[in-house]
Amino acid sequence: MTAVALPILAVLAGYLWISTQEAAETMNPTSATTTVLSIGLHPSALDYSRIPGLDEETLTARIAAGDRALHDAGFDVVSCLLPADPDAAETALRGCAADTPFAVVMIGAGIRASLEHTLLFERVVNVVNALSPGVKYCFNTSPEATIDAISRWVRPGAR
């Protein structure tokens, strides 16, 4: 090897090592922070006549139990329950998410799964992208499934 080739190989080896580490961190469900932003519709924003067997009190209790399970598992959770109005929701979301780095953002099914909330869902995704570029997203199917959705992307206590 020539004297010029050795430094070039050293730089390439360093680059490959860094790239491999970055790829591993991207695919590995750990993060420098375990702070999670959990976004959902506020229970008062739902039309319960369209959801047989569910009422505001029951949903509020289910959301609180899901948040407790996350805390008990070691996650730092910022819960952001939004109104259905996209403008008001954007303002509320900016208040919840300002100046906090998040490992993952969970957007609840109440926002994603209803056609009437398509604009709200778009606004939520775009605000989160503006505040936390590159953050990972996860999606639950119920308040009880929130911990499973989040655990796919980050482990509690990961440093």
Side-chain angles (χ1 to χ4, degrees):
M1 293 239 158
T2 67
V4 173
L6 287 175
I8 291 172
L9 285 175
V11 168
L12 284 173
Y15 172 77
L16 290 173
W17 183 83
I18 290 169
S19 297
T20 303
Q21 293 303 311
E22 289 172 352
E25 289 169 8
T26 300
M27 298 306 292
N28 188 11
T30 62
S31 177
T33 178
T34 56
T35 303
V36 173
L37 178 60
S38 178
I39 304 170
L41 275 177
H42 193 282
S44 66
L46 294 173
D47 176 2
Y48 292 96
S49 68
R50 300 167 75 185
I51 313 169
L54 187 62
D55 58 37
E56 185 175 342
E57 182 179 339
T58 302
L59 182 57
T60 299
R62 289 174 60 195
I63 291 169
D67 285 349
R68 271 192 311 279
L70 288 167
H71 285 290
D72 292 348
F75 291 103
D76 180 20
V77 181
V78 174
S79 183
C80 192
L81 297 175
L82 303 176
D85 174 70
D87 291 332
E90 181 174 339
T91 300
L93 178 55
R94 287 183 182 281
C96 290
D99 302 322
T100 303
F102 296 102
V104 67
V105 174
M106 194 289 304
I107 302 175
I111 291 174
R112 295 185 336 273
S114 176
L115 294 177
E116 71 190 72
H117 296 303
T118 299
L119 176 59
L120 174 61
F121 181 46
E122 289 174 357
R123 295 278 288 272
V124 165
V125 169
N126 287 321
V127 168
V128 170
N129 280 339
L131 296 174
S132 298
V135 72
K136 290 179 173 57
Y137 290 88
C138 67
F139 306 105
N140 69 1
T141 54
S142 70
E144 295 80 11
T146 300
I147 195 165
D148 296 328
I150 290 168
S151 294
R152 289 191 294 262
W153 294 101
V154 66
R155 290 186 198 109
R159 294 279 180 238

